[in-house]
Amino acid sequence: MSNKSILLIIGGGIAAYKSLELIRELARRDVKARCILTKAGAEFVTPLSVSALSGEKCYTDLFSLDDEAEMGHIQLSRSADLVVVCPATADLLAKAANGHANDLASTTLMATDKPVLMVPAMNVRMWEHAATRRNVETLRRDGVAVMEPDEGAMACGEFGPGRLPEVLAIADEVEEQLAAQNGAKPLEGQHILITAGPTREPLDPVRYLSNHSSGKQGYAIAAAVARLGARVTLVSGPVALAPPKGVDMVNVETARDMLKACETALPADVFISVAAVADWRPSISANKKLKLKDEGKTLPALSLAENPDILATISKKRKNRPGLVIGFAAETHDVEALAQAKMKRKGCDWIVANDVSGDVMGGAENEVSLVTRDNVEHWPRMDKTTVARNLANRIAVALGNPDGQQLAAE
């Protein structure tokens, strides 16, 4: 996304504050934002905060002599690769659908020759109103991309569709829109199989052995390779995450379930084993809740059995082995040495090694080293989305796609 930019129009609504988060998230993805703040939007966020985060002047007034002399609303409307309206209020949707141009935001939307993405946020009744539905249909017929709002509790106290989508989902959609302009799909035609999240090994109907894996890194990788055109199968243990867009989901509980799902999904060109699979399971899972024994309160004995090694099993397959097998090594010490030993032991091609002694498991950031048979690349600490993008680009390069080489260079 290097050298890509958007023009962000911030509408008036309580969700306007999330536009500030969006500016920061896009900056992390190397997408620059120049912003227009509507009069109503300025009731919720300030031009100073928008300008401070974007690093650009915040435009507010159609009839500003200084702004028109410096940029001009026509040039402003064509200065970016994509125009994003977030939040897109019912009023902004109506103006855009019906060709109104009585302020800087609506005039810019009329004057632009660039693709437009609308991100609606409003009260559920307003979203479901016949006029709003009509305006959305008109915009989509005109070639404007309109995201569907999320469903949930709103600031007004009502519940239903109308909430602004999560910032990460909006940023993903922006990236997808920008990538579509390039036509760059370096992983198109590739099938990538990914595991993510923890597994749960039942002790009895109410208890299980598991770990702190959130699934965030695996889900981010699935989203990243899907955006580069891959067909993605994501085999996931239990997590509290929404499925990435355009990904085939397979939900599992135990390590044995996960292995079976992976083998069923083969053949694949790439296998990425991100899941934190439980090494052991109770050798016997009770069919009713375990109890302390009478007055003595003796703890029940816990006998463990070894779980199948999914990474080694896929790596050492004679038939249907993916051409590139990537494992993850979550270690608390001697990270690089243990990762290199794991790569040899498992028979995989790459290992992504990370130190999980801190806040990595369940956290938003990761610091990894990419261990290959010839080299070790140390990546700085970064958010998991950026780790995912970098890994997706390295995979594209490894598969010999020249577009992937360019993406990696950027």
Side-chain angles (χ1 to χ4, degrees):
M1 292 296 111
S2 197
N3 299 319
K4 290 292 185 180
S5 65
I6 68 163
L7 177 63
L8 177 62
I9 297 175
I10 304 172
I14 188 62
Y17 78 92
K18 288 191 176 181
S19 64
L20 303 180
E21 297 179 39
L22 179 61
I23 293 169
R24 293 188 67 177
E25 177 59 30
L26 290 174
R28 282 195 286 267
R29 304 184 187 202
D30 296 325
V31 178
K32 298 177 182 177
R34 177 176 281 140
C35 302
I36 292 174
L37 181 61
T38 65
K39 183 177 180 180
E43 297 291 329
F44 298 92
V45 297
T46 67
L48 181 59
S49 59
V50 173
S51 180
L53 288 171
S54 67
E56 296 269 357
K57 177 171 181 171
C58 178
Y59 296 86
T60 59
D61 188 358
L62 176 62
F63 299 106
S64 167
L65 180 61
D66 289 341
D67 289 352
E68 283 299 297
E70 176 188 301
M71 172 65 76
H73 65 278
I74 302 298
Q75 186 180 347
L76 182 62
S77 73
R78 300 171 189 177
S79 64
D81 300 292
L82 176 70
V83 179
V84 180
V85 185
C86 175
T89 61
D91 180 63
L92 279 171
L93 291 173
K95 285 180 176 179
N98 294 284
H100 290 196
N102 63 350
D103 61 7
L104 182 57
S106 57
T107 302
T108 299
L109 287 169
M110 282 288 289
T112 189
D113 60 353
K114 299 300 172 62
V116 177
L117 170 65
M118 296 275 191
V119 190
M122 65 197 72
N123 171 267
V124 58
R125 302 301 176 202
M126 296 175 73
W127 174 249
E128 293 177 341
H129 195 282
T132 302
R133 306 310 304 161
R134 202 161 51 240
N135 291 332
V136 169
E137 289 170 11
T138 298
L139 289 167
R140 285 173 172 163
R141 283 198 302 270
D142 290 346
V144 174
V146 184
M147 292 184 71
E148 288 292 319
D150 282 355
E151 182 174 307
M154 301 181 182
C156 61
E158 296 196 58
F159 185 95
R163 285 169 55 97
L164 192 78
E166 293 299 321
V167 169
L168 290 179
I170 301 170
D172 287 347
E173 184 64 28
V174 169
E175 276 200 316
E176 190 167 317
Q177 295 280 334
L178 292 172
Q181 295 176 27
N182 291 342
K185 295 286 185 181
L187 291 177
E188 191 166 13
Q190 305 289 336
H191 178 207
I192 298 184
L193 173 62
I194 302 172
T195 64
T199 60
R200 290 179 179 175
E201 310 298 333
L203 288 161
D204 60 27
V206 297
R207 302 183 183 93
Y208 53 82
L209 299 179
S210 191
N211 57 63
H212 295 294
S213 174
S214 65
K216 290 177 182 177
Q217 188 64 84
Y219 275 55
I221 293 170
V225 294
R227 282 195 297 275
L228 295 187
R231 176 168 72 88
V232 182
T233 301
L234 177 58
V235 181
S236 175
V239 297
L241 298 173
K245 183 178 178 181
V247 167
D248 296 325
M249 286 293 305
V250 182
N251 295 302
V252 298
E253 288 273 340
T254 69
R256 287 175 291 179
D257 293 339
M258 185 170 281
L259 176 59
K260 182 178 180 181
C262 288
E263 291 182 321
T264 300
L266 293 175
D269 300 286
V270 181
F271 173 59
I272 311 175
S273 181
V274 193
V277 181
D279 294 318
W280 307 284
R281 67 180 186 275
S283 55
I284 299 175
S285 177
N287 57 14
K288 59 183 180 180
K289 184 179 177 182
L290 297 172
K291 298 285 187 181
L292 295 174
K293 290 185 179 179
D294 303 325
E295 297 300 323
K297 295 188 177 181
T298 304
L299 293 174
L302 180 60
S303 175
L304 297 175
E306 189 173 359
N307 264 328
D309 189 325
I310 297 173
L311 177 58
T313 300
I314 301 297
S315 293
K316 296 175 181 178
K317 277 188 172 295
R318 294 184 178 179
K319 183 180 178 182
N320 285 338
R321 185 197 189 273
L324 178 60
V325 177
I326 304 170
F328 268 64
E331 306 291 353
T332 58
H333 63 285
D334 299 332
V335 175
E336 187 177 318
L338 290 172
Q340 290 172 325
K342 181 174 182 176
M343 186 172 66
K344 293 177 183 178
R345 188 171 67 253
K346 306 287 187 179
C348 57
D349 304 299
W350 296 356
I351 286 284
V352 180
N354 59 334
D355 186 339
V356 295
S357 58
D359 59 353
V360 168
M361 275 196 152
E365 295 185 333
N366 208 348
E367 184 175 345
V368 307
S369 296
L370 178 62
V371 181
T372 68
R373 293 174 181 174
D374 304 316
N375 193 24
V376 178
E377 298 176 17
H378 298 288
W379 296 357
R381 187 176 179 89
M382 60 187 76
D383 62 272
K384 290 181 177 180
T385 300
T386 305
V387 172
R389 288 203 338 269
N390 288 352
L391 183 61
N393 293 340
R394 286 289 282 105
I395 291 169
V397 172
L399 297 183
N401 192 299
D403 288 333
Q405 181 70 58
Q406 178 62 33
L407 286 166
E410 293 176 352

